[in-house]
Amino acid sequence: MNSGSTSFTGITRQSISLGLFMVGLVLVVVAIEHETAPGHDHHLQLIWYALPAVAIGIGSNVLWHEWQTLRTWVAERNTVVHQRRQEREDALGKEAHERALAIVEGKNQGLDYRARAIRAAQISIWVADIPSNQIIFEGIHTGLKDFLPDTRIYHGREWYLRLHPHDTELVEYRFKEFIKRRIHTFEMEYRVPDDRGGWRWIISRGLVIQEDERGRTLVAAGTHTDIHQRKLAQIAHAQERALFNAGPVVIFRFALMGDRIIDFISRNAPRLWRYTDPDWTAVGKPTSALVHPDDLPAVRAAINDAFATSKPAVDAQLRLLRGDGTYHWQSMRLIFEMEHGQPFARGYMLDVQERKTVEELAASHNQALEALVEQLHMAQADSVVLQETSDLLNSAEDVDEAFEIVRRAADAVFPGWSGSLSAIMQHGGLSLVGQWGAPPWQDAEFQLKDCWGLRRGKPHGYLNEDRQLRCNHIHPDVEGQLLPYVCVPMSANGETVGALHLFANSMVTSEQIGEIEVRAERFAETLKLAMSNLRLRAWLRDQATRDGLTGLYNRRLLDERLPVEIKRSHRDRLPVSLAMIDVDHFKRFNDDYGHDAGDLVLKSISELLMDRVRVYDLACRYGGEELILLMPGCQIEDAIVKLEAIRIDVASLQISYQGYMLPPVTISIGLAETHGGSAEALLRQADEALYRAKRQGRNRLVVQDDITPPPEEMH
């Protein structure tokens, strides 16, 4: 019998039994009422009571049977529900197990990605397990080969013993303080060994990532990042400041109001002015306490006059009281500045006592000062800019800052004029190192004889072809037109260091050309005084090796560096990897969008390339759209990872030209490696690999092999 019929039958039987039971109750009630009536029959009364008793008995028996059946049915029903619930829980458990397996597999894959990312970024991740007293390193440092392989574990103080002896104690102390949670984060700069037997600066940062229930550190983790080049620059800057403080020039500042109290003086003043007390300082003293009484009125008058007439600077000579009681002649230069609404004079003093003893040298010096003062009077508006430019150039930390300072100053001093700077090179010629505005076409490299300003040693102004000679390194446009310009030579210490070239953006008169010549000469004087030191001259020579369009190094520097790096690789038994990079379909791109768009593509790719390379890699423009990346000491496997990342990033570039997005650009790369041999052979192998990359469909990286390509080229 199915469940439906069983339920129906059960309900029917329950209804009948319940009906009989109710009928019996009704009959009992009626019998009781009938018994109270007069004259009823006792036999009939017995029968009347028997009938409801039978009905109640039958109904109760049926109800009891149905109650037992119902209990059995409910038990069976509960068993089925429990079985179904168990089956559902088993299914959910199986699904959770499968999901956990997927998560574990994904985690393992993520760890593999992290390892690849660490190798590509060339950083080191460290994890310190405090209970076991060990440090685990994963990754490598930039520039290192044997130091810190993919994973290395140090126990106890093993890691500290590898550090530079001067850094070990402080690093260990700071790290212990960090582990004890006395400092929240760990950050230190210190030196680690490199693969050449020297030391390399890194910065280490860390955080506590796990604690016990009492707040004690269990696990800390962090990174090591290579900062060697930045640290060397900081050290060099500090050394320069130390040399400046040890130099012959004393810098000072005093308030112009009241007693003119000195509020700043450089630390070399006690030594230069013969004060034996190491704690002596002029700060807090009036200027009158140091100046000879006979010189004080004239110096005060000169300062008051310059300030009252808004002159930007004042020069004077005075006798200064020294610690041994003698007076020495000093040459002083002051400029005026405002701070919180109060006027101050800032300047320097240079001992000229020996020069004073020689009449001719003193006269020559006075004439130079008078000439300089006269020039400053003729261009008061320019003087502030020139002085500020000189101060900024002396404080510039890198090439980009220095050139940006010159460009901004030139825009302020020569509005409506474009310009460029050229620098002397080792072979005696000159090379453009930067330009601003919209100058005419100029030779990237030229000889001294090609510039009339350099040939004559004085400013050369050009108005038109009929009146002046045109310099051979400056060319007219396609229509033969050339706007006026001025070339100003720059010499320091008796030798030419470069030239300043200014170009009018519209026609000017001969009088305007003459005025620009004078102002340009003053501007060049400011530049040469600030640029005459060896560091800035080295900067100019470095810029001569740069490609003017892309900012990459040019082919001449590659030709010089490549043989040297190959010899070094053979000596040190390290590989040299060289990648030749070509922009796919670049000619078609130029034809469709114009050469300006093509130049923008090359600039964008070059900027990306310079951002991805190591500090000692050499990124060059080899010619046209071909670029070369020279990677000394780089295994070919690491080079492949780096170049593949560069190729993918180039394909993702979004380049906007004249308000429109250019189509995607791709590159083909040929990679070769050598441990010795000739530069020509390495270039040929990279070129052959590049050729195969083009044959295989472009937008790919191909590594060298023994296959020699046919002579035709793919473009």
Side-chain angles (χ1 to χ4, degrees):
M1 180 180 295
N2 56 34
S3 60
S5 61
T6 302
S7 300
F8 178 78
T9 304
I11 294 173
T12 303
R13 294 173 63 185
Q14 293 170 11
S15 300
I16 294 173
S17 60
L18 182 61
L20 290 173
F21 184 80
M22 294 302 296
V23 169
L25 290 177
V26 171
L27 290 176
V28 170
V29 172
V30 172
I32 293 172
E33 292 178 353
H34 183 72
E35 184 179 1
T36 59
H40 64 276
D41 191 347
H42 290 283
H43 296 285
L44 182 60
Q45 184 179 8
L46 293 174
I47 296 174
W48 190 263
Y49 278 110
L51 288 175
V54 171
I56 292 172
I58 294 173
S60 299
N61 181 57
V62 174
L63 286 175
W64 173 256
H65 177 74
E66 291 301 322
W67 170 251
Q68 294 298 325
T69 302
L70 178 62
R71 289 183 60 188
T72 302
W73 179 83
V74 169
E76 293 175 351
R77 181 67 177 176
N78 289 338
T79 301
V80 172
V81 170
H82 177 73
Q83 290 176 348
R84 291 179 180 177
R85 182 182 297 111
Q86 186 65 37
E87 291 174 356
R88 184 165 59 253
E89 291 177 354
D90 292 343
L92 292 175
K94 182 178 181 181
E95 181 180 352
H97 179 70
E98 293 175 352
R99 186 163 55 249
L101 290 178
I103 291 173
V104 171
E105 293 177 357
K107 182 178 180 181
N108 292 336
Q109 187 178 21
L111 291 174
D112 182 59
Y113 290 160
R114 187 185 70 174
R116 295 182 182 180
I118 289 172
R119 179 172 293 278
Q122 293 187 323
I123 64 173
S124 177
I125 294 179
W126 58 265
V127 177
D129 187 86
I130 306 307
S132 63
N133 195 21
Q134 65 180 12
I135 301 179
I136 305 171
F137 286 89
E138 183 178 356
I140 57 176
H141 279 300
T142 301
L144 305 183
K145 177 176 180 292
D146 297 327
F147 172 65
L148 290 184
D150 288 346
T151 300
R152 179 170 292 183
I153 301 176
Y154 294 94
H155 299 275
R157 299 188 67 253
E158 287 181 352
W159 165 246
Y160 301 113
L161 297 178
R162 292 180 58 86
L163 306 183
H164 192 283
H166 293 168
D167 301 335
T168 303
E169 183 177 355
L170 181 58
V171 172
E172 189 171 6
Y173 170 75
R174 289 290 299 277
F175 191 76
K176 289 180 179 178
E177 292 293 294
F178 162 67
I179 294 302
K180 294 177 181 178
R181 306 307 303 272
R182 292 173 181 170
I183 54 177
H184 296 293
T185 59
F186 178 76
E187 180 170 339
M188 281 199 69
E189 298 177 1
Y190 51 88
R191 288 159 287 186
V192 297
D194 64 14
D195 58 340
R196 299 180 181 86
W199 299 96
R200 196 166 190 88
W201 282 97
I202 64 166
I203 184 170
S204 178
R205 298 185 177 95
L207 291 171
V208 173
I209 61 174
Q210 187 176 351
E211 302 174 341
D212 61 12
E213 64 278 2
R214 298 175 62 183
R216 293 177 299 188
T217 301
L218 296 179
V219 180
T223 61
H224 280 177
T225 305
D226 191 295
I227 59 166
H228 191 64
Q229 295 302 320
R230 188 191 74 185
K231 190 67 176 181
L232 292 182
Q234 291 176 349
I235 294 174
H237 180 66
Q239 291 175 344
E240 288 179 359
R241 292 188 63 87
L243 289 174
F244 177 79
N245 286 329
V249 178
V250 175
I251 308 298
F252 62 93
R253 192 182 83 152
F254 61 87
L256 286 175
M257 307 304 292
D259 293 334
R260 299 187 174 179
I261 303 299
I262 299 172
D263 66 353
F264 169 80
I265 194 164
S266 57
R267 290 182 292 178
N268 58 348
R271 177 179 57 82
L272 294 176
W273 294 351
R274 302 288 181 89
Y275 285 92
T276 57
D277 184 0
D279 297 328
W280 179 89
T281 179
V283 174
K285 297 180 180 180
T287 55
S288 58
L290 299 175
V291 181
H292 194 286
D294 294 342
D295 300 335
L296 189 59
V299 173
R300 281 183 172 176
I303 295 174
N304 293 339
D305 178 68
F307 182 72
T309 56
S310 300
K311 293 179 181 178
V314 60
D315 295 282
Q317 289 189 356
L318 53 89
R319 283 165 289 183
L320 187 76
L321 178 63
R322 304 202 305 173
D324 57 5
T326 63
Y327 286 94
H328 260 220
W329 280 100
Q330 305 284 327
S331 176
M332 180 184 70
R333 179 176 178 83
L334 293 178
I335 60 174
F336 304 113
E337 59 185 27
M338 299 294 293
E339 183 175 309
H340 304 299
Q342 299 295 323
F344 288 84
R346 181 188 297 274
Y348 65 83
M349 283 191 181
L350 179 66
D351 193 305
V352 293
Q353 181 65 33
E354 294 183 2
R355 215 163 26 178
K356 271 288 185 178
T357 60
V358 182
E359 187 63 29
E360 291 183 355
L361 293 178
S364 175
H365 179 68
N366 289 335
Q367 291 176 1
L369 290 176
E370 291 174 1
L372 180 59
V373 171
E374 183 64 25
Q375 292 174 0
L376 291 174
H377 289 172
M378 294 175 59
Q380 292 182 6
D382 295 344
S383 297
V384 175
V385 176
L386 297 181
Q387 184 63 46
E388 182 181 4
T389 301
S390 178
D391 293 340
L392 291 173
L393 283 174
N394 288 329
S395 302
E397 294 184 356
D398 53 42
V399 173
D400 294 336
E401 284 187 354
F403 185 77
E404 183 64 14
I405 291 168
V406 173
R407 184 192 67 78
R408 290 177 179 271
D411 286 341
V413 176
F414 309 104
W417 289 70
S418 302
S420 64
L421 277 176
S422 59
I424 199 74
M425 297 187 295
Q426 291 182 350
H427 57 71
L430 287 98
S431 173
L432 288 180
V433 296
Q435 53 187 358
W436 60 90
W441 178 259
Q442 305 170 72
D443 292 337
E445 295 184 5
F446 58 95
Q447 300 299 318
L448 288 171
K449 60 183 180 61
D450 294 329
C451 178
W452 285 104
L454 290 167
R455 185 186 294 190
R456 298 193 303 164
K458 64 180 182 179
H460 174 71
Y462 172 88
L463 191 62
N464 55 60
E465 194 80 24
D466 296 331
R467 300 183 59 179
Q468 288 91 15
L469 293 172
R470 176 178 60 84
C471 296
N472 292 332
H473 64 98
I474 300 175
H475 306 285
D477 59 18
V478 293
E479 298 177 358
Q481 300 296 320
L482 181 63
L483 290 173
Y485 70 84
V486 174
C487 290
V488 183
M490 292 190 298
S491 299
N493 300 322
E495 63 178 21
T496 299
V497 297
L500 170 68
H501 313 279
L502 297 173
F503 307 93
N505 294 334
S506 60
M507 289 303 301
V508 296
T509 64
S510 58
E511 290 77 15
Q512 290 174 315
I513 282 287
E515 179 184 356
I516 288 295
E517 285 184 16
V518 175
R519 297 171 63 193
E521 191 169 18
R522 288 200 301 269
F523 189 81
E525 284 288 327
T526 301
L527 290 184
K528 79 174 185 181
L529 291 176
M531 299 167 64
S532 61
N533 57 75
L534 293 177
R535 186 180 182 189
L536 204 46
R537 288 173 58 193
W539 166 61
L540 294 173
R541 287 195 299 270
D542 177 70
Q543 291 302 295
T545 62
R546 297 278 184 177
D547 176 63
L549 174 63
T550 63
L552 301 176
Y553 289 108
N554 56 29
R555 184 169 180 173
R556 183 175 67 84
L557 183 63
L558 176 68
D559 293 338
E560 295 175 359
R561 280 278 304 277
L562 184 54
V564 175
E565 294 298 340
I566 292 177
K567 290 181 180 179
R568 182 183 290 119
S569 73
H570 180 70
R571 181 193 65 206
D572 298 341
R573 297 182 180 180
L574 295 174
V576 171
S577 296
L578 184 141
M580 187 169 288
I581 304 170
D582 188 86
V583 182
D584 296 331
H585 302 296
F586 188 74
K587 184 178 183 303
R588 186 193 310 168
F589 194 91
N590 273 342
D591 294 340
D592 293 343
Y593 300 95
H595 288 279
D596 289 342
D599 290 347
L600 180 59
V601 169
L602 285 178
K603 290 179 182 178
S604 301
I605 295 176
S606 300
E607 291 173 358
L608 186 148
L609 190 61
M610 288 188 290
D611 187 53
R612 298 296 190 273
V613 300
R614 302 171 300 179
V615 293
Y616 45 83
D617 289 340
L618 188 68
C620 304
R621 185 181 182 188
Y622 193 63
E625 71 273 20
E626 285 190 347
L627 311 176
I628 281 184
L629 178 57
L630 176 62
M631 297 167 283
C634 183
Q635 300 285 348
I636 199 164
E637 295 81 6
D638 296 335
I640 290 173
V641 174
K642 178 186 298 185
L643 292 169
E644 274 295 331
I646 291 174
R647 182 185 63 80
I648 294 172
D649 289 343
V650 169
S652 302
L653 281 175
Q654 295 183 351
I655 305 174
S656 175
Y657 174 67
Q658 295 183 351
Y660 297 93
M661 297 302 298
L662 296 176
V665 180
T666 61
I667 57 175
S668 298
I669 307 174
L671 177 61
E673 181 191 64
T674 187
H675 289 76
S678 67
E680 292 77 13
L682 183 60
L683 287 169
R684 183 175 62 255
Q685 291 171 350
D687 188 59
E688 291 169 356
L690 175 62
Y691 172 80
R692 293 200 309 279
K694 289 179 171 293
R695 284 292 300 269
Q696 294 174 15
R698 296 182 170 86
N699 190 22
R700 65 190 63 241
L701 167 66
V702 173
V703 183
Q704 71 184 75
D705 61 18
D706 297 332
I707 301 175
T708 302
E712 65 269 22
E713 296 182 355
M714 297 291 295
H715 292 287

